[in-house]
């Protein structure tokens, strides 16, 4: 089987591949090999980049994006780590685990990675991570790799690795000295002969040292990275200007999407023409910010930016609503008298909210954070899209005291409501 795979790996395919089955078989036979140097974590991205002649940074960005949008990137990366052999290895780590050849990765590490693969996959395909995005991300990643092999499968095909023979047959322990066949036929008795008269062969010369590896060709450089960065800044500036003029479509989410589109085109072009590697430094945080703005409607919260601190001492001083787009809200209601009922709301887009109420107040409450931590009278929740915590808390003295109705919600961050 290994010989067949090696023969296939040696045969270039300048005319292109045939159907789907032949493409898959050829991909398996000429899988990318994880380099001993130049890889970050396991060398998977570097292996794919070196195999198909593209910048490994593009591959890393693809895995990170697939992890952020759908959660499948981490499990696919781990799967490639288990299925791609390292340079100089006979087989992949998972094949070596089943005794099909030699791999430089220890079996203990292989088992740990294989066990880790299952919870990562269940997390990505469970449906809770952006509602099916894992399936879509996996399909896109597999399709991209398939098309990449169809178009560039003949490039940089890995050299075959011959299996080292370890079986030792009976011929290796032959007791006959070289040149003794004729003497045995003529009646020569080896036990009665002078051992110094044996015709021993000369020792084999030492093997010639391996030639040094050829120097690596210098990486091509171009102005694509600089040009892409300039165009991205121009798109961001124009989009922000149109959005500030009142056009609802040019929201921060859409502007970030446009900028990411420009960066993506620049990185793909730079992968083939050279350059554009540092664009990933800007693309990754923008992707995370885009996910946060898309998931959490921070724009629905008004009130401006900054910290808000209030300590009303009477019901008349309590505002109907305390609002901030981003910042910190600290509302102290512990000094309110118990004679007048109070109703108020707190809305915060991004940041931390702390609300303190009197120890004896009867509080009817609703606490919600669309992405973050909530602690409301000792009841806690955390995560994304969690239902609000609601209820009535009468305090340490039971029913009786200030009648307080409180509603607190925020987009992202931590929310705490406690007694003073």
């Amino acid at each position: 089987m290994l010989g067949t795979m090696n023969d296939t790996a040696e045969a270039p395919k300048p005319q292109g591949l045939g159907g789907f089955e032949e493409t898959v078989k050829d991909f398996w036979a000429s899988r990318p090999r994880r380099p001993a140097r130049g890889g970050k974590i396991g060398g998977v991205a570097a292996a794919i980049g070196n195999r198909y002649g593209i910048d490994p940074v593009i591959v890393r960005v693809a895995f990170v994006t697939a992890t952020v949008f759908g959660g499948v990137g981490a499990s696919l990366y781990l799967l490639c780590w288990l299925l791609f052999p390292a340079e100089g290895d006979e087989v992949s780590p998972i094949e070596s685990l089943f005794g099909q050849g030699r791999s430089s990765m220890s079996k203990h590490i292989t088992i740990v990675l294989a066990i880790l693969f299952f919870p990562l996959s269940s997390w990505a395909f469970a449906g809770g991570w952006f509602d099916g995005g894992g399936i879509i991300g996996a399909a896109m990643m597999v399709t991209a790799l398939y098309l990449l092999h169809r178009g560039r499968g003949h490039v940089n095909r890995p050299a075959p690795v011959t299996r080292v023979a370890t079986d030792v047959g009976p011929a290796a322990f032959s007791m006959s000295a070289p040149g003794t066949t004729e003497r045995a036929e003529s009646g020569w008795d080896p036990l009665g002969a002078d051992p110094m008269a044996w015709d021993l062969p000369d020792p084999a010369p030492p093997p010639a040292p391996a030639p040094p590896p050829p120097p690596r060709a210098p990486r091509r450089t171009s102005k694509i990275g600089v040009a892409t960065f300039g165009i991205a800044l121009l798109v961001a500036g124009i989009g922000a200007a149109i959005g500030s003029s009142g056009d609802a479509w040019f929201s921060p989410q859409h502007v970030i999407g446009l900028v990411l589109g420009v960066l993506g085109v620049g990185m793909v072009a730079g992968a083939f023409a050279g350059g554009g590697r540092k664009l990933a430094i800007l693309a990754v945080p923008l992707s995370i910010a885009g996910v946060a703005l898309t998931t959490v409607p921070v724009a629905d919260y008004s009130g401006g930016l900054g910290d808000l601190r209030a300590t009303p001492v009477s019901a008349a001083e309590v505002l109907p609503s305390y609002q901030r787009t981003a910042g910190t809200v600290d509302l102290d209601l512990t000094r309110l008298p118990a004679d007048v009922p109070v109703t108020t709301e707190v809305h915060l887009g991004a940041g931390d909210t702390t609300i303190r109420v009197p120890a004896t107040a009867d509080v009817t409450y609703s606490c919600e954070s669309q992405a973050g931590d909530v602690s409301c009278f000792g009841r806690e929740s955390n995560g994304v899209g969690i239902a609000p915590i609601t209820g009535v808390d009468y305090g340490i003295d039971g029913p009786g005291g200030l009648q307080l109705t409180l509603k607190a919600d925020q987009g992202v961050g931590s929310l705490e409501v406690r007694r003073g």
Side-chain angles (χ1 to χ4, degrees):
M1 179 179 177
L2 183 61
T4 304
M5 292 170 61
N6 291 335
D7 293 339
T8 306
E10 291 178 325
K13 297 185 178 295
Q15 302 299 327
L17 299 171
F20 175 80
E21 183 178 358
E22 182 181 354
T23 302
V24 173
K25 288 182 178 179
D26 186 71
F27 168 77
W28 181 259
S30 60
R31 284 168 290 171
R33 290 188 171 270
R34 295 179 289 108
R37 297 180 179 179
K40 300 299 182 182
I41 302 176
V44 173
I48 297 175
N50 296 339
R51 172 66 177 87
Y52 298 109
I54 61 177
D55 196 328
V57 175
I58 305 299
V59 184
R60 296 187 183 105
V61 171
F63 276 112
V64 171
T65 304
T67 301
V68 174
F69 294 93
V72 75
S75 58
L76 288 180
Y77 192 94
L78 197 59
L79 183 63
C80 293
W81 194 348
L82 292 170
L83 294 181
F84 290 174
E87 289 182 348
D89 288 355
E90 297 173 359
V91 294
S92 65
I94 199 68
E95 291 173 300
S96 176
L97 186 63
F98 292 96
Q100 297 184 11
R102 176 183 57 81
S103 174
S104 58
M105 183 183 294
S106 69
K107 293 185 177 181
H108 297 87
I109 298 179
T110 303
I111 293 174
V112 171
L113 294 180
I115 295 175
L116 185 61
F117 170 75
F118 292 100
L120 285 176
S121 300
S122 62
W123 172 58
F125 293 103
W129 185 259
F130 291 108
D131 297 328
I135 299 177
I136 299 175
M140 294 179 62
M141 293 284 287
V142 172
T143 301
L145 189 59
Y146 173 81
L147 296 177
L148 196 61
H149 190 78
R150 290 279 300 181
R152 303 177 66 86
H154 60 283
V155 178
N156 299 333
R157 298 180 70 86
V161 177
T162 57
R163 179 172 296 184
V164 179
T166 57
D167 296 335
V168 181
F173 296 96
S174 175
M175 297 298 295
S176 301
T180 59
T181 303
E182 294 183 0
R183 299 181 184 179
E185 293 177 354
S186 61
W188 176 72
D189 183 6
L191 298 178
D194 183 3
M196 300 300 296
W198 290 359
D199 187 13
L200 299 177
D202 296 332
R216 179 176 296 182
R219 183 181 296 274
R220 296 173 298 170
T221 58
S222 69
K223 302 298 183 181
I224 289 181
V226 177
T228 303
F229 182 73
I231 296 174
L233 288 180
L234 182 62
V235 169
I238 294 176
I242 297 177
S244 62
S245 66
D247 194 321
W249 189 90
F250 285 89
S251 62
Q253 299 94 313
H254 288 167
V255 174
I256 289 178
L258 293 174
V259 174
L260 286 175
V262 173
L263 295 177
V265 172
M267 287 188 291
V268 172
F272 296 95
R277 292 172 56 89
K278 295 183 179 180
L279 294 176
I281 300 176
L282 181 60
V284 172
L286 278 179
S287 300
I288 297 174
V291 172
L293 291 176
T294 303
T295 307
V296 180
V298 178
D300 295 344
Y301 297 88
S302 60
L305 307 177
D307 298 337
L308 188 156
R309 291 180 172 85
T311 308
V313 296
S314 66
E317 295 182 6
V318 178
L319 299 179
S321 177
Y322 297 88
Q323 300 185 29
R324 279 292 184 271
T325 304
T328 301
V329 175
D330 187 349
L331 179 60
D332 186 357
L333 303 176
T334 57
R335 301 184 183 181
L336 292 177
D339 53 347
V340 180
V342 173
T343 299
T344 188
E345 298 181 358
V346 177
H347 306 282
L348 175 62
D352 298 330
T353 299
T354 303
I355 304 173
R356 294 184 293 276
V357 301
T360 59
D362 297 345
V363 184
T364 301
Y365 59 88
S366 174
C367 306
E368 179 182 10
S369 178
Q370 299 185 35
D373 302 328
V374 176
S375 176
C376 199
F377 296 104
R379 300 173 59 186
E380 297 182 353
S381 68
N382 60 79
V384 178
I386 305 299
I389 298 176
T390 60
V392 179
D393 191 279
Y394 295 106
I396 59 177
D397 63 340
L402 172 66
Q403 300 298 309
L404 176 60
T405 302
L406 177 64
K407 179 181 179 181
D409 69 83
Q410 61 185 48
V412 56
S414 64
L415 168 61
E416 181 183 15
V417 179
R418 69 175 188 266
R419 297 194 178 271

